Amino acid sequence: MTRQTLTRERVVRRAAELADAGGMSSATLSAVARSFGVRTPSLYGHVRDLAALRDGITVLALHDLGEQVGEAIAGRSGRDALIGFGDAHRAFARRHPGLWESLQGRASETVVRDPSAARIVRHAEAVLHGYGIAETDRVHMIRLIGGALNGFLNLERRGDFDHSEPPAEQSWPVLLDSLDLMLSRWNERDRDA
């Protein structure tokens, strides 16, 4: 077998593939090194340690998710953009379970400062703009939408919906309809109540 030239990008991509195949716990430095046919110390020129490798996976996840969300909401607004936003998250979580898992932990400063993180926020703000949500309320709405989508997708991923009817496929559009209703009526609420 011919040795492949290692780069940070190739090391992180391989770790992401391992995570998608077997969960984040599978994405270790030794597993990545074995997959390339090298010894673990060979990776240290590309990633500082396991934490840096995991941060790389999370940044990759944010980048790839941002690409998919951007495509899903392009040229859409209001309900259509919200559905595209939600469906892109769900498709990503299903297609890349390890990358999705990497997004579930507390983000390091390295991850938070990466432009890919800001891009996801900009996509969410674009969806909210279509509903006329005031800039002062957007952080609340981003947290609400993120919490609802993330909660549903993590419960679905764990199989928590597998033992009850109706199937999660029928509940997903109900979740998106509920978010649409909330966003559509947000500006009607009585702020003084």
Side-chain angles (χ1 to χ4, degrees):
M1 175 165 78
T2 307
R3 279 230 169 124
Q4 303 171 19
T5 303
L6 296 180
T7 63
R8 177 176 169 72
E9 181 180 342
R10 291 192 73 217
V11 168
V12 170
R13 274 272 174 210
R14 180 64 54 87
E17 291 167 4
L18 293 171
D20 277 346
M24 279 297 286
S25 62
S26 300
T28 64
L29 289 165
S30 60
V32 172
R34 272 193 309 276
S35 76
F36 282 117
V38 300
R39 293 172 44 110
T40 303
S42 300
L43 301 182
Y44 291 125
H46 309 287
V47 290
R48 182 183 66 254
D49 54 19
L50 181 59
L53 180 66
R54 299 248 165 108
D55 281 351
I57 294 169
T58 303
V59 167
L60 178 64
L62 287 169
H63 175 271
D64 290 359
L65 176 60
E67 290 282 318
Q68 291 180 28
V69 170
E71 289 175 18
I73 67 171
R76 301 166 93 178
S77 66
R79 177 182 168 76
D80 288 340
L82 176 66
I83 290 170
F85 186 86
D87 286 350
H89 277 78
R90 192 170 190 217
F92 184 83
R94 288 177 162 184
R95 195 169 29 253
H96 299 289
L99 290 178
W100 180 259
E101 183 183 348
S102 77
L103 297 171
Q104 304 315 305
R106 183 176 176 85
S108 72
E109 283 300 313
T110 300
V111 172
V112 171
R113 286 192 308 265
D114 192 87
S116 298
R119 184 177 185 200
I120 295 286
V121 173
R122 284 193 309 273
H123 289 328
E125 287 177 337
V127 171
L128 295 175
H129 181 75
Y131 284 96
I133 303 296
E135 192 172 331
T136 55
D137 288 338
R138 288 186 190 160
V139 69
H140 305 302
M141 294 297 94
I142 289 170
R143 289 173 179 168
L144 257 165
I145 293 168
L149 296 179
N150 197 50
F152 187 100
L153 294 173
N154 281 324
L155 291 169
E156 183 177 43
R157 183 173 61 95
R158 289 188 343 207
D160 289 6
F161 300 145
D162 293 350
H163 307 290
S164 62
E165 292 295 330
E169 288 301 321
Q170 291 179 25
S171 298
W172 180 251
V174 173
L175 172 68
L176 295 177
D177 286 345
S178 299
L179 290 171
D180 174 60
L181 179 63
M182 176 191 67
L183 292 169
S184 297
R185 306 214 41 212
W186 182 254
N187 293 324
E188 298 171 18
R189 75 195 193 294
D190 183 2
R191 291 181 179 261
D192 297 324

